[in-house]
Amino acid sequence: MFPKYIHRFFLVFFSTAIAFSLPISEFALSVGIISIIVNWILEGGFNDKLTTIKDNKALLWFLVIYFLSVAGLAFTSDFGWAIHDLRIKLPILFLPLVYSSTIPFTRKELVIVLFGLIAGVLVGSFVSMLVVFQIIPRPIHSSRDISLFISHIRFSLLVNLALSVSVYLFRCFSHELPRWAKGGALLLIVWLYVFILILQSLTGVVILALLTVWFLVWQIVKIRNVVYRFWAITFFVAAIFLFASYITNTISFYYSVESLPDDLSSSKTLNGRLYTNLLESTAVENGHFVNVYICEPELRKEWSRRSSIGYDSLVSTGYPVNLVLKRFLTSKGLRKDSVGVWSLSKKEIMAINNGVANVMEMNHYSLKWKIYRTIWELDSYKKDNNVGGFSFAQRFIFWKAAAEIFSSHWLTGVGTGDIKQAYADYYATHLPELKPEFRLRAHNQYLTMFVSDGILGGLLFLVALFYPFFLTKSGNNLLANAFMLIALVSMLDEDTLEVHVGVSFVAFFYAILILARNTHLAELPNDDKIKS
């Protein structure tokens, strides 16, 4: 319909729009994907495209992921949900077809598209910081609340990829950049690194740590000078030990518990009232017992003077104020009495009103608090099997549910459309006490595929995911490796391919970084070629 150079312009433009939209707009993302497909259709040349597609074994294997969902229709009774699932996964079908049957990006085109991702992530991160500083007013109960456009977990994946892209481009082009541009690139890398820590997605932080270790090992291996390599290895090992020590100290801090006097029966407040002490309770906050040194009359009376929210009211997290107050006072090492209540600052009173139960939580962006919170969730789950509202501990319930559903349908799976109902039936039968809002799916893409498609389908999914990567020899490319690490780790605790942003992220970057390199027309520039 248009000259080839016009179609090429649209390809690059809408590819950049997809990369830019992923972190900030699902609507714009959909428009970009549809535009890419329409441009590909209008471009014509289907005989050549079909030949290219048939010759691309990596592409054909990757498309198995989509056709597994199609095959799952044979075991489906709920076709409404099945059609929804097939629609969500359409990027896995169309984006690889488009990019694998089109001449791969040139060096300049690739850089433009990658800069689109960086720009989108920067916009998203700046908006998040406006929330942090309350320039955009929004209640912040946890760090996830600062991600306005998409899930903070999927946002962290895109930030990690943007960071990897920034390192990749700096590594490839640093010798071509003026000094001011190098400084700006380094600031960008530092900012993205810091922002992942601010975002506090556990998945994102784990991926960041893995990317850092992997990239440093990649670089150390290439050092030829024996002395430089020795010192690089020494600093690398020391950094790992320091980080491990930080985690170990945090765990030790959680499990270090105060020593109580042998006899608490006569202990009194400054006002002469006896404390209530439930010595059989093991609940602790920051090493202090929650259920000792409690004077309910003083707490109730003084709290009414300091807060407009009733002592027995529920906060936004669903817990009563009195419980949150006791835990907060305990976390500060204060006794639960009038003195303790009046020792709280106005900011701390507001935090308790908002459901903050530990003084450490007031710093939503503290890595120590994130680690502490994770240990607390696991400890609570271990002690009383409580997972309500605990995002990390809930995974154990979800994974157990997936394993038991799979064991009952191991051969064929439950089908593409019946997976939602299968989980609903499981929770109704095995965990009726679990609140409806916590009755979720596996939060593990690998388990989800085995549950929906059975043993053969699950194994085919793994082959379709990994084999194209090795078939195209993408392991030699730093950026392709970084993308695969991010995608694969994300699937361990998220159903990445079950939501629009997640499936588009995987389909788009798998297509342009891995599958398009396997065409007979040309290759995406690898690390060596991009420098030439």
Side-chain angles (χ1 to χ4, degrees), residues 141 285 303 309-328 351-358 361 373 376-377 380-381 384-391 393-394 434-435 437-438:
H141 302 296
E285 293 285 346
W303 178 256
I309 297 180
Y311 186 70
D312 298 310
S313 301
L314 298 180
V315 295
S316 58
T317 55
Y319 293 100
V321 167
N322 59 76
L323 176 59
V324 177
L325 173 62
K326 291 169 189 173
R327 287 180 54 197
F328 193 96
I352 294 169
N353 289 339
N354 290 323
V356 175
N358 190 302
E361 191 180 353
R373 167 79 181 189
W376 180 71
E377 287 187 16
S380 298
Y381 173 68
D384 55 17
N385 206 35
N386 178 24
V387 297
F390 299 165
S391 60
Q394 282 175 348
L434 190 63
K435 293 181 180 179
E437 60 266 31
F438 301 136

Side-chain angles (χ1 to χ4, degrees), residues 298-360:
E298 291 189 9
L299 284 177
R300 183 180 295 275
K301 179 180 178 181
E302 303 308 325
W303 178 256
S304 66
R305 294 180 175 180
R306 300 222 57 192
S307 173
S308 59
I309 297 180
Y311 186 70
D312 298 310
S313 301
L314 298 180
V315 295
S316 58
T317 55
Y319 293 100
V321 167
N322 59 76
L323 176 59
V324 177
L325 173 62
K326 291 169 189 173
R327 287 180 54 197
F328 193 96
L329 289 169
T330 304
S331 73
K332 293 195 67 177
L334 298 172
R335 296 187 177 186
K336 280 69 72 175
D337 57 18
S338 60
V339 175
V341 173
W342 284 97
S343 298
L344 299 172
S345 66
K346 291 182 179 180
K347 185 177 181 181
E348 289 170 336
I349 293 292
M350 290 177 61
I352 294 169
N353 289 339
N354 290 323
V356 175
N358 190 302
V359 66
M360 290 172 60

